[in-house]
Amino acid sequence: MSARDNASSEITPEVLLRAYAAGIFPMAESIDDPTLFWVEPEMRGIIPLEGFRVASRLARTVRSDRFRVSVDTNFAAVIDGCASPLPGRDDTWINRRIRDLYTGLYAIGHCHSVEVWDGGDLVGGLYGVSLGRAFFGESMFHRSRDASKVALVHLVARLLASGFVLLDTQFVTEHLRSFGAIEVPRPRYRAMLDQALTAGIADFTDFRVDGIFPGAQALDIIAAHQPG
């Protein structure tokens, strides 16, 4: 379900947070479209944090610390990367209004980025919104193989270590399904969201940039939270 937003209406970061709390989020048709529309999928994508799967080849890459991972050190560059055309993705829904809104959320501590570096080059990353004990993944990108996957592994380790209970992916792709992503009906999602928002506040910044997990520790955190 979606509703077109009047281009003259005022959406602030605070309005955006209330929308997330109600289970809706904004999108644009394209990078050049100045308008937004609200989306509330009938089937919502989530990754159960205690069902997160890491393939063995990816685990070796994470454990090797081939990439350096940081958090909240270059949000602008991450959202730029997510908005840029890439091989297989000629267009993006991240327009100027989206960029400004989420930069505003970042400024008040409700939006975060995970950056993946190869030397001094930003080669991948992701960003999303934190609210209560829920994290809403917005977009990811990569310029080197596995870079966005490494970002996701480190994100999940941080969410688990910090007490988050819900990782919302909005939709499910085959790429996300390989990590354990599933679809849940809207009523079930709303119940999960309500629980995540009323269970206190998880602090995404509990583990500061200078305390980033080594890859092996990130994998240990994930393994410790898996059933069985």
Side-chain angles (χ1 to χ4, degrees):
M1 183 178 77
S2 65
R4 178 67 57 177
D5 167 49
N6 186 309
S8 65
S9 65
E10 182 65 21
I11 303 174
T12 65
E14 291 75 17
V15 168
L16 189 53
L17 285 179
R18 291 198 294 272
Y20 274 98
I24 61 177
F25 56 89
M27 293 188 73
E29 290 289 354
S30 71
I31 194 170
D32 298 318
D33 185 353
T35 65
L36 304 179
F37 58 93
W38 294 110
V39 181
E40 186 182 19
E42 291 283 352
M43 299 295 292
R44 191 70 164 243
I46 66 165
I47 295 179
L49 289 170
E50 296 190 352
F52 185 70
R53 299 197 297 261
V54 184
S56 57
R57 186 188 64 79
L58 177 59
R60 288 194 295 272
T61 300
V62 172
R63 191 173 285 109
S64 73
D65 289 323
R66 170 191 161 195
F67 298 111
R68 178 173 63 88
V69 180
S70 61
V71 169
D72 288 348
T73 64
N74 204 331
F75 180 84
V78 169
I79 202 166
D80 283 348
C82 291
S84 298
L86 294 170
R89 188 185 75 188
D90 296 330
D91 203 357
T92 175
W93 53 271
I94 301 174
N95 64 7
R96 172 53 59 186
R97 289 186 74 191
I98 291 284
R99 195 182 302 238
D100 290 347
L101 279 169
Y102 288 87
T103 300
L105 283 185
Y106 174 74
I108 62 174
H110 280 283
C111 205
H112 302 281
S113 59
V114 178
E115 304 96 15
V116 178
W117 306 83
D118 188 352
D121 297 325
L122 182 68
V123 295
L126 58 81
Y127 75 96
V129 176
S130 64
L131 187 62
R133 293 186 180 272
F135 190 88
F136 307 86
E138 284 298 315
S139 188
M140 61 174 62
F141 80 100
H142 70 277
R143 299 187 181 113
S144 293
R145 183 183 183 185
D146 290 339
S148 62
K149 296 178 181 179
V150 169
L152 182 57
V153 170
H154 276 268
L155 170 70
V156 169
R158 178 173 290 267
L159 297 180
L160 286 166
S162 302
F164 285 81
V165 297
L166 176 63
L167 173 52
D168 177 355
T169 66
Q170 300 177 349
F171 305 103
V172 172
T173 63
E174 287 306 310
H175 170 69
L176 292 176
R177 203 179 298 277
S178 69
F179 289 96
I182 61 172
E183 290 182 318
V184 296
R186 185 187 296 165
R188 182 180 170 197
Y189 172 78
R190 284 178 172 171
M192 297 171 74
L193 178 60
D194 288 345
Q195 180 182 15
L197 297 181
T198 58
I201 299 173
D203 186 357
F204 190 88
T205 61
D206 267 352
F207 303 91
R208 304 302 301 189
V209 173
D210 58 2
I212 278 292
F213 311 123
Q217 185 182 359
L219 293 170
D220 286 347
I221 290 169
I222 291 169
H225 286 83
Q226 302 311 298

